[in-house]
Amino acid sequence: MVINVEEDLHQFIDDEIKGYLEVVEEEIFEHIGSDSKLDEIASYLIRVGGKRIRPALLIVAFKAVGGENIDKVVPISAAIEFIHTASLIHDDINDGADMRRGILTTNRQYGHIKALVAGDYLFVKAFEIGGRYPQEVIQMIADACGDLAMGEVIQNENKFHVHMGRDLYEEIIQKKTAALIRGSLRVGAWLGDADEDQLDAIVEYGDLVGQVFQVTDDILDIRGDVGKTGKPVGSDIREGQVTILAIRAMEVLQGEDHDELVRILTSRQHSERDIARAIELIEKAKAVDYAYEYAEDLAEKCVEALHRLPETEYRDRLELAVETILTRAY
Ligand code: FPP
Ligand code: MG
């Protein structure tokens, strides 16, 4: 059964934006049809849904600074969704993940090699579209991709490193998650002819909303429901990903509890009992509440950045987007 992932996140999208996203959807499937086995594999993950949060934010940013002709941003929105999907396919190979969006990951369904090539193919499709845009846009996307790749490498190098600390955690989430969200918003605002201050505000908003997104993702790994997220609870623990919740729990817990959590988080082999126990300890340390507060602080700064944009219904949509992302984990 396919689980459609977190449709609630679309609360910030009204009928106008929904209409634009349908056009983006058409654009996506114009580029990856069903002509070949490669198209089938590359579109496998895209077909089951996904939140299309990057295209949505790109389009709202475009409108928020006065952009009018939506045709200017539809192709690049599709390209960004290709890049995002490619990065997830490659990330699932790296993480040995079994499930995403409620279905088997592309690597589990088709094997690692085909998944790798399908991810590359999606990047090529993104280049094909991106190449038609001005140099500035290409550079913004290249910067975001560079960060994404760096984030993935730093994250991989620090798997099971329970003492990695907050600075590194922040660097990882800024790169692996916030970079493409920030880049999408930046491209939207730039194509909408934002002035320099508006562009700065959008970039700041993007950086922060991207982090809010990742912190809530980390919370959902502990409190989530596979029917909603499409990923099994405790995946971060199984994969050795050290999240803000784990960092906080290790700071708070003492004695045997602390040592037991460290033992589980550094272990390469977990029983279901280990995962349940680690979640119990993270809960005991009230690390989930802490992570909510952490996300709320970021969200507040996010809304402040928006105040530098003209007061429009689109600015309100961006504000609603932060709130919706924040509350998805409640
Ligand atoms: C997901 O993190 C990680 C990413 C979205 C970044 C992946 C980036 C790459 C594979 C590099 C791709 C290269 C370029 C040039 C863009 P996660 O494992 O914490 O999230 P998950 O729980 O959704 O798997
Ligand atoms: Mg992963």
Side-chain angles (χ1 to χ4, degrees), residues 97-254:
D98 296 321
M99 215 179 153
R100 179 175 295 279
R101 298 182 181 163
I103 56 168
L104 289 179
T105 51
T106 310
N107 46 304
R108 283 282 171 268
Q109 179 73 11
Y110 295 101
H112 284 200
I113 303 294
K114 287 187 183 132
L116 185 67
V117 176
D120 291 344
Y121 181 65
L122 286 173
F123 277 123
V124 172
K125 292 288 170 184
F127 296 150
E128 192 180 26
I129 300 170
R132 294 189 226 133
Y133 277 80
Q135 178 60 35
E136 286 87 342
V137 170
I138 299 173
Q139 191 60 54
M140 287 173 203
I141 295 180
D143 289 344
C145 286
D147 275 353
L148 209 60
M150 232 179 301
E152 181 79 353
V153 169
I154 304 173
Q155 170 165 282
N156 265 282
E157 281 178 335
N158 287 285
K159 276 187 181 179
F160 304 101
H161 285 196
V162 286
H163 302 298
M164 75 178 195
R166 281 156 191 261
D167 287 353
L168 203 49
Y169 170 79
E170 276 166 26
E171 187 184 350
I172 291 171
I173 71 170
Q174 271 167 0
K175 291 194 158 81
K176 78 166 182 180
T177 312
L180 194 57
I181 292 179
R182 183 178 64 224
S184 305
L185 282 148
R186 186 182 209 171
V187 165
W190 192 86
L191 288 170
D193 290 326
D195 66 30
E196 217 165 290
D197 188 48
Q198 292 171 346
L199 208 52
D200 281 352
I202 282 281
V203 167
E204 195 179 329
Y205 166 84
D207 187 44
L208 292 159
V209 80
Q211 293 179 66
V212 174
F213 188 84
Q214 187 57 52
V215 175
T216 53
D217 205 66
D218 292 350
I219 295 173
L220 287 170
D221 195 65
I222 299 299
R223 284 260 178 101
D225 161 7
V226 65
K228 205 172 157 205
T229 63
K231 293 184 280 194
V233 167
S235 300
D236 288 336
I237 303 168
R238 278 187 204 88
E239 292 171 10
Q241 319 270 22
V242 182
T243 67
I244 190 68
L245 288 86
I247 292 173
R248 174 68 178 175
M250 286 181 291
E251 282 168 358
V252 168
L253 295 173
Q254 304 281 329

